[in-house]
Amino acid sequence: MAKTLLALSARQLLRNSITKPMVIQSAAMSDGSYARKMLGKREIVGYGYNGEPNYVDRVDFPLPAIRWKEPNADILALREKEKGDWKQLSIEEKKALYRASFRQTFAEFKAPTGEWKGTIGMTLVIVSLAIWTFFGLKTFVYPPLPDSFKPENRAAQLRRIIDLQMNPVEGIASKWDYEKDDWKK
Amino acid sequence: MFRTSALRVRSLLQSTAFKSANVRLMSKENTETDEQFDNRFLNFFNDPNIDGWDIRRGITDLWGHDLVPEPKILSAAFHACRRINDLALAIRILEALKDKCGSKVNEIYPWYIQEIRPTLTELGIPTPEELGYDKPELALVDVDDM
């Protein structure tokens, strides 16, 4: 019984694992896909980084799945010119072709944003708030520290520890010279 | 009991999906030599039938490896870009190449440009530096900040 059930469920799992990717793919290819609707008339030129027709500037997947700009008259004219010799194209035309396909150059999307400054600033603001909260609580909420924190009480406590010879082997009493009644030098 | 079930599952796995796909669920030592690797990509990009999708796939495959491809491979890729009339793709590959050089960019990149200079001149492909793309040109807002 259990064996049959296991076999059946395993078969079902396998079938799902085989057919499911196809289902997802066909959803992406149909008109109902969100990415498809956002796409407009942009040309799908590759797989991109995850197989969806989307545009992301990434260093690990430098070639996005779609061109950045929708083709307009200027770009189509340039594409016609692109079919000829590339040496005839001016620098401006080459740049326009690049910007039609890609949004940002590597230098642009890798440029530092300076965001770290704001992050550190906000962190320090929050830390200072916490410190002010601490002092506020100390001033207005907490009772004063108990007497045992006063220096003379602590000295008395220490004297008592020494008198009781606590930790005589390696600890505090072993550092005390009982004959001279002072710390060992 | 458990053993028979496990055996049953194993035979199922072997019989249906994995046997047909010829996938082994284990790592395998790479037996391809560097030369074979280069030739594989060289033949891929030299194939006159590949389109823009294939070039992008080939470059992405190549970029997945921990290496900077040989100049002759990218020369072949640029010729492929020429065949499908996509100049932007060629410029983008050059930029990606510069990024791919990583921390050794000052050693590898100038040498690389020198090696592929004949191809660039022949096809009229500008380097990113000639377009002024080695420095940020536009200060576009990051999509995450919009």
Side-chain angles (χ1 to χ4, degrees):
Chain A
M1 182 63 208
K3 260 199 296 183
T4 328
L5 269 178
L6 195 63
L8 273 175
S9 56
R11 194 171 296 158
Q12 192 65 35
L13 267 174
L14 278 174
R15 191 170 300 146
N16 279 350
S17 71
I18 294 165
T19 50
K20 242 186 182 153
M22 292 179 189
V23 172
I24 292 166
Q25 200 182 20
S26 63
M29 300 306 280
S30 73
D31 291 336
S33 159
Y34 178 68
R36 281 272 161 168
K37 279 182 189 148
M38 300 297 288
L39 196 56
K41 283 182 284 181
R42 288 176 186 82
E43 195 185 343
I44 297 179
V45 289
Y47 183 82
Y49 75 95
N50 65 354
E52 285 286 307
N54 51 18
Y55 184 97
V56 186
D57 281 318
R58 292 173 62 143
V59 291
D60 48 352
F61 292 92
L63 308 169
I66 60 173
R67 295 200 194 278
W68 171 244
K69 282 184 187 165
E70 288 188 90
N72 57 27
D74 292 346
I75 293 174
L76 289 176
L78 262 180
R79 290 221 193 291
E80 279 305 310
K81 207 174 171 190
E82 192 186 19
K83 287 177 183 163
D85 193 347
W86 287 348
K87 275 171 276 192
Q88 307 300 322
L89 295 166
S90 69
I91 291 287
E92 263 58 48
E93 286 168 331
K94 287 173 178 174
K95 282 185 166 186
L97 276 170
Y98 182 89
R99 294 287 182 184
S101 282
F102 304 104
R103 178 172 183 255
Q104 285 180 303
T105 65
F106 268 62
E108 281 162 14
F109 71 77
K110 281 174 69 187
T113 57
E115 193 187 352
W116 63 274
K117 297 171 201 165
T119 307
I120 289 183
M122 280 315 292
T123 309
L124 290 179
V125 165
I126 291 166
V127 166
S128 73
L129 278 180
I131 292 172
W132 280 112
T133 309
F134 169 72
F135 281 113
L137 288 172
K138 204 168 158 56
T139 314
F140 298 111
V141 180
Y142 295 139
L145 288 173
D147 282 347
S148 55
F149 277 77
K150 288 179 187 162
E152 58 267 33
N153 294 41
R154 290 168 66 188
Q157 181 91 11
L158 178 64
R159 185 70 226 183
R160 176 86 180 145
I161 288 170
I162 288 164
D163 289 347
L164 287 173
Q165 301 191 15
M166 290 169 106
N167 262 335
V169 181
E170 290 184 331
I172 188 162
S174 70
K175 309 273 196 302
W176 186 261
D177 192 336
Y178 284 89
E179 278 154 23
K180 285 193 279 178
D181 203 32
D182 199 0
W183 295 108
K184 284 179 184 167
K185 295 287 185 295
Chain B
M1 178 61 214
F2 175 73
R3 185 184 295 184
T4 48
S5 305
L7 277 173
R8 189 100 190 243
V9 170
R10 184 157 168 267
S11 69
L12 257 175
L13 286 172
Q14 280 181 341
S15 61
T16 54
F18 296 106
K19 199 173 185 183
S20 56
N22 199 17
V23 174
R24 298 170 70 187
L25 297 175
M26 54 195 288
S27 69
K28 188 160 145 287
E29 204 175 317
N30 185 14
T31 51
E32 191 180 34
T33 64
D34 287 354
E35 203 174 335
Q36 284 168 330
F37 178 88
D38 290 350
N39 283 332
R40 181 155 63 86
F41 278 97
L42 210 50
N43 293 335
F44 178 82
F45 287 120
N46 277 331
D47 184 349
N49 296 318
I50 61 174
D51 58 9
W53 185 289
D54 293 324
I55 297 174
R56 285 170 174 84
R57 176 165 73 86
I59 293 292
T60 307
D61 278 355
L62 203 50
W63 253 238
H65 290 88
D66 185 15
L67 51 84
V68 180
E70 287 289 318
K72 59 184 178 185
I73 297 177
L74 280 200
S75 285
F78 291 141
H79 280 283
C81 291
R82 174 67 265 191
R83 285 196 293 275
I84 61 153
N85 300 315
D86 200 336
L87 176 62
L89 181 58
I91 302 171
R92 186 73 162 188
I93 292 171
L94 270 175
E95 275 195 292
L97 164 74
K98 189 171 182 179
D99 181 74
K100 189 75 177 152
C101 293
S103 58
K104 304 270 187 203
V105 62
N106 292 330
E107 297 168 39
I108 301 176
Y109 186 66
W111 169 81
Y112 210 101
I113 291 294
Q114 175 200 321
E115 290 291 306
I116 54 174
R117 177 60 73 187
T119 313
L120 298 184
T121 317
E122 177 197 343
L123 300 178
I125 300 170
T127 61
E129 285 71 25
E130 286 162 16
L131 293 176
Y133 283 171
D134 52 336
K135 291 182 182 65
E137 184 185 50
L138 309 173
L140 297 173
V141 183
D142 193 315
V143 277
D144 293 333
D145 298 337
M146 283 176 178

